[in-house]
Amino acid sequence: MELAKRFVDVGIFTNRLDEMRAFYGERIRLPYEEMLPVGKGVRQYRFGMLGSVLKINHVRDPLPARVAGGYRKLSISDPRTPMPLPMQDPDGNEVELAPSGQRGVNQIEIHIGVTDEAAFENFYAEALQAQRIGAGRFKLGETIVSFRHDPAAVRARKSPTASAADVIASMRAVGMRYITVQVRDCDVEHRRFMSMGVWEGAAPVTLGAVARISFIRDPDGNFIEISQRASLTGPIPA
């Protein structure tokens, strides 16, 4: 997979904007970048995270409760931290500040609770072509993704391919709900995923002059956005 950015972004949904902005911007001290209006009552507040972007999607309408398993914890490398500092954000998401280099984390690590570790090993090695750095641990660019069996995790029921708008609507629940991988060519990568039998979330769609995106789902149905962003790759072809 040809990456356009060597850092994976993390998407959170919340109803508690002020508390979440205070936690990540003031307590964690992530630099605020910008707000993007997503539409349908959603605004995305973006914070820099050592090359990644933390996307806090504030939803106007009440969100469903947190979903068990899935993206369960975010570790952020911090040279100011002498020892691991576990915390919870205002929505109860697990966040850890980790000393730089500990467990090989020099950027961020995304932790996933899964139903079948072997299936995830194959998915990240073969479909996402990530570098295996240990049992249940892979690197996508500079970002580490790790997973372990979680008895509370549930494999989602497969459903027909939806539109990107429908997928975004179905992702809505409190917590960390998706990750974004920036690639050079969304269509090329999406076709490759389909040829391998990867679970399709939504076919590629162009978002104005900003990006071309699609969605795939991992073996448990967790969402992964495949994004070709114009600011990284140049103008999106018509």
Side-chain angles (χ1 to χ4, degrees):
M1 182 165 61
E2 188 176 5
L3 299 176
K5 185 176 81 167
R6 294 183 59 76
F7 312 102
V8 177
D9 303 332
V10 178
I12 290 177
F13 283 87
T14 186
N15 289 136
R16 306 175 69 177
L17 176 61
D18 292 342
E19 298 97 320
M20 294 288 274
R21 289 190 67 178
F23 178 85
Y24 287 103
E26 298 172 19
R27 185 171 180 185
I28 303 294
R29 290 187 279 182
L30 299 181
Y32 175 68
E33 294 184 347
E34 61 180 337
M35 185 279 287
L36 298 178
V38 177
K40 296 187 177 181
V42 182
R43 289 183 173 181
Q44 185 179 100
Y45 295 80
R46 298 165 67 90
F47 289 80
M49 193 165 55
L50 303 174
S52 296
V53 177
L54 178 66
K55 300 185 282 190
I56 299 178
N57 296 281
H58 176 243
V59 183
R60 178 184 57 209
D61 299 326
L63 286 166
R66 176 185 312 279
V67 177
Y71 302 114
R72 63 175 191 83
K73 178 180 169 183
L74 176 62
S75 297
I76 305 171
S77 176
D78 188 342
R80 303 163 299 185
T81 303
M83 61 193 325
L85 179 61
M87 293 177 283
Q88 286 190 339
D89 72 15
D91 278 340
N93 298 304
E94 292 186 56
V95 180
E96 175 191 62
L97 293 181
S100 296
Q102 189 171 85
R103 305 193 310 271
V105 182
N106 291 297
Q107 199 249 342
I108 67 170
E109 180 171 5
I110 300 162
H111 305 259
I112 313 173
V114 306
T115 62
D116 185 340
E117 290 175 279
F120 273 77
E121 289 269 356
N122 183 67
F123 176 79
Y124 272 88
E126 300 297 329
L128 291 185
Q129 299 178 338
Q131 175 191 358
R132 191 177 190 274
I133 59 172
R137 298 187 86 215
F138 288 81
K139 286 188 81 172
L140 268 171
E142 300 302 319
T143 298
I144 295 175
V145 179
S146 63
F147 43 84
R148 69 183 185 194
H149 181 257
D150 182 349
V154 177
R155 182 173 296 175
R157 181 181 301 174
K158 281 200 174 184
S159 56
T161 301
S163 69
D166 288 340
V167 166
I168 293 170
S170 69
M171 284 194 297
R172 293 187 187 186
V174 171
M176 289 183 275
R177 297 291 289 145
Y178 67 103
I179 61 175
T180 300
V181 180
Q182 298 288 349
V183 300
R184 289 288 174 190
D185 192 315
C186 174
D187 289 88
V188 166
E189 300 299 346
H190 195 84
R191 285 195 296 269
R192 182 177 65 81
F193 290 132
M194 296 305 97
S195 72
M196 299 177 70
V198 170
W199 184 352
E200 183 177 39
V205 62
T206 299
L207 305 178
V210 176
R212 187 160 173 81
I213 67 168
S214 70
F215 286 90
I216 59 172
R217 303 180 72 170
D218 70 21
D220 278 351
N222 301 306
F223 293 98
I224 301 173
E225 180 185 20
I226 306 301
S227 172
Q228 177 185 343
R229 194 170 181 84
S231 61
L232 297 171
T233 65
I236 305 299

